[in-house]
Amino acid sequence: MKRGLIAATGVAAMLVSVAACGSDGDDDKAGADGFKGQTLTVWAMDGSAPDGWTKDVKAAFEKKTGATLKIETQQWNGIQQKVTTALSESDPPDVLEIGNTQTPSYAQAGGLAELGDLKKSIGADWAESLNESAVYDGKQYAAPWYASNRVVVYNKKIWAEAGIKDTPKTRTEFFRDLDAIKKKTDAEPIYLPGQNWYFFDGLTIGTGADLVKKSGEKWVSNLADPKVGKAMDIYKQYQSFSQAPKDKDEATPQQGEVFAKGRTGAFIGMPWEAGVAIKANPKIEKDIGYFTIPGETAGKPEGVFLGGSNLAVAAGSDKQELAKEFLKIALNDTYEGQLAKEGGVIPNKESLQEQLKGNPAAQAAAPAAASGGTTPLIPEWAPVENAPNPIKTYMTAVLNGKSPAAAAKSVEGEMNKRLNQEH
């Protein structure tokens, strides 16, 4: 999940019943007596499991099962190789937090247990947009835990200077407001570098575009699709209101630090990026507001990239039923809701979004989650995003005057090479 500037860091949990599951094995029979003396090991990523949530879930799990819960915090740096290695060993962690876009690779490699029975028992109302990444080849290999997505972070003081009274509800209104800032103030209307790739990915989701397509048995670039071109045209309209470099991404420099200087009307980023601005300039906190990225019509927000995490059970774990007992507790309404409230992340059920009240950044992110999506959920995708990302090259080429079709053709060979390399 963590890549580039970060698709998302840490956030919410899951759902329903705490009733015991039946089991065929003598060592793993349902009920507290069958689990006494066992220890369940869970790997959670740094920043994902708030202290209060961890303490309460541990207490509930140990009270119900009689087993011991051991939650081990993992660092993001090098985690993919660490998880790959752990899943191939004879004594892997029992439950793992894994990035939503990384789930297909682990599933394809045979490292994850199927959780179709868990989906039937507790996952009936998991949000479809979040659960999509937990399914591979038609089978449930994980459970959606939480997500986060980009919002518009804006400077209320500058918007007032431009005479803007309300936040925009459509893309056209947003462009109108940016134009007002441009004409009526000395501020940069929006800071948008040419390679904010995850915002662009959201725009492709909004236009219904696919970044790859099948050619025989291979995946190949689909950047030449007019729907991708339409998304890039929208990006170009946004970027026309910015003085940011066309060949840099949002982390070079950190856009929150640019915004902190106080003369930028808005930027599009993760909710936590406002904290980067506040750290650089505490006085700006009172001027910061948030709103959902508006789409073409008022009733539907813009498409967004959903960064987030799933919870999975290692196929090699000898505590399959105990692991599912943990998931039933961690993902029930109480603790999934607590995760959303404490972590400020989007929970895996739309009905739990009420737990985000009082968190303006999370409340701005939530409406777009239902129509959000991810990068292509295929194991072959990961190499595409390695630097230099050919899609970033495509974006810069269009912003510098190439047609979307010509820019797509110029990176097609490199993208196809990456999609078909050994992984």
Side-chain angles (χ1 to χ4, degrees):
M1 170 190 70
K2 177 123 170 198
R3 29 155 96 179
L5 176 63
I6 301 181
T9 34
V11 184
M14 269 186 186
L15 142 76
V16 194
S17 134
V18 177
C21 264
S23 171
D24 296 325
D26 291 335
D27 294 335
D28 219 10
K29 69 185 184 215
D33 290 344
F35 299 128
K36 275 184 180 173
Q38 296 190 32
T39 297
L40 190 80
T41 302
V42 176
W43 279 11
M45 299 309 301
D46 183 32
S48 288
D51 291 344
W53 181 90
T54 299
K55 179 182 175 183
D56 292 349
V57 167
K58 179 177 171 66
F61 173 83
E62 294 184 347
K63 180 179 180 181
K64 179 171 190 302
T65 66
T68 298
L69 180 63
K70 185 179 180 184
I71 297 181
E72 298 180 347
T73 301
Q74 305 297 315
Q75 300 303 312
W76 286 106
N77 189 33
I79 189 59
Q80 285 182 265
Q81 186 56 52
K82 187 172 183 179
V83 168
T84 299
T85 301
L87 290 175
S88 69
E89 294 175 341
S90 59
D91 186 27
D94 304 295
V95 177
L96 307 91
E97 174 189 350
I98 54 179
N100 57 354
T101 59
Q102 295 163 0
T103 303
S105 294
Y106 299 131
Q108 183 197 50
L112 308 181
E114 282 189 54
L115 298 176
D117 56 342
L118 188 80
K119 172 71 166 70
K120 288 178 183 175
S121 65
I122 70 170
D125 47 0
W126 288 342
E128 187 177 342
S129 59
L130 271 68
N131 189 57
E132 185 182 9
S133 68
V135 176
Y136 176 70
D137 201 21
K139 296 178 181 177
Q140 191 84 29
Y141 282 103
W145 194 24
Y146 69 78
S148 189
N149 54 261
R150 282 160 179 75
V151 298
V152 181
V153 182
Y154 75 106
N155 187 318
K156 293 186 280 188
K157 184 177 178 181
I158 288 174
W159 284 53
E161 282 180 33
I164 304 167
K165 307 253 188 250
D166 200 3
T167 54
K169 301 299 184 287
T170 67
R171 190 189 304 133
T172 299
E173 290 177 5
F174 194 7
F175 288 150
R176 179 200 65 198
D177 291 342
L178 295 175
D179 192 52
I181 293 170
K182 180 180 180 180
K183 290 176 177 175
K184 298 179 181 180
T185 78
D186 63 354
E188 181 178 17
I190 188 170
Y191 183 82
L192 181 65
Q195 297 183 348
N196 189 331
W197 138 242
Y198 285 109
F199 173 48
F200 172 62
D201 184 55
L203 295 177
T204 68
I205 291 165
T207 62
D210 292 316
L211 297 174
V212 296
K213 63 183 178 181
K214 262 290 181 66
S215 176
E217 294 300 308
K218 294 182 176 182
W219 290 102
V220 297
S221 170
N222 194 42
L223 293 185
D225 186 330
K227 290 180 181 178
V228 177
K230 180 181 178 182
M232 193 60 220
D233 284 339
I234 295 169
Y235 192 100
K236 190 172 184 178
Q237 289 180 71
Y238 275 110
Q239 217 277 327
S240 70
F241 290 100
S242 179
Q243 297 155 22
K246 294 178 172 61
D247 60 351
K248 303 292 182 187
D249 65 19
E250 68 274 33
T252 318
Q254 288 283 352
Q255 58 185 3
E257 294 178 355
V258 175
F259 185 80
K261 296 174 183 176
R263 297 314 298 165
T264 300
F267 72 91
I268 293 168
M270 300 298 291
W272 59 264
E273 290 183 78
V276 173
I278 294 166
K279 184 177 180 181
N281 177 16
K283 291 181 180 178
I284 203 170
E285 184 170 11
K286 68 182 185 305
D287 297 326
I288 293 178
Y290 310 85
F291 60 86
T292 307
I293 304 171
E296 190 169 352
T297 60
K300 187 177 180 183
E302 185 57 83
V304 291
F305 171 81
L306 291 174
S309 286
N310 298 326
L311 292 176
V313 176
S317 167
D318 59 2
K319 303 184 182 74
Q320 297 286 318
E321 294 305 318
L322 185 57
K324 290 174 187 175
E325 289 298 317
F326 167 76
L327 293 178
K328 289 178 187 177
I329 291 170
L331 301 178
N332 71 30
D333 284 6
T334 297
Y335 299 117
E336 181 73 0
Q338 183 178 348
L339 182 63
K341 190 172 186 120
E342 282 190 55
V345 295
I346 297 167
N348 61 3
K349 295 171 66 176
E350 288 185 36
S351 61
L352 295 175
Q353 289 182 6
E354 62 185 19
Q355 297 297 328
L356 300 174
K357 284 179 182 174
N359 184 329
Q363 284 183 274
S371 54
T374 65
T375 50
L377 293 169
I378 55 174
E380 295 86 350
W381 178 257
V384 174
E385 293 193 45
N386 292 337
N389 182 340
I391 300 180
K392 289 185 175 183
T393 304
Y394 159 85
M395 294 169 69
T396 297
V398 174
L399 294 174
N400 282 332
K402 271 194 177 181
S403 70
K409 189 169 182 59
S410 71
V411 302
E412 185 177 82
E414 177 62 23
M415 194 161 162
N416 292 346
K417 177 183 171 185
R418 294 182 184 212
L419 284 165
N420 291 285
Q421 71 184 46
E422 293 296 321
H423 57 276

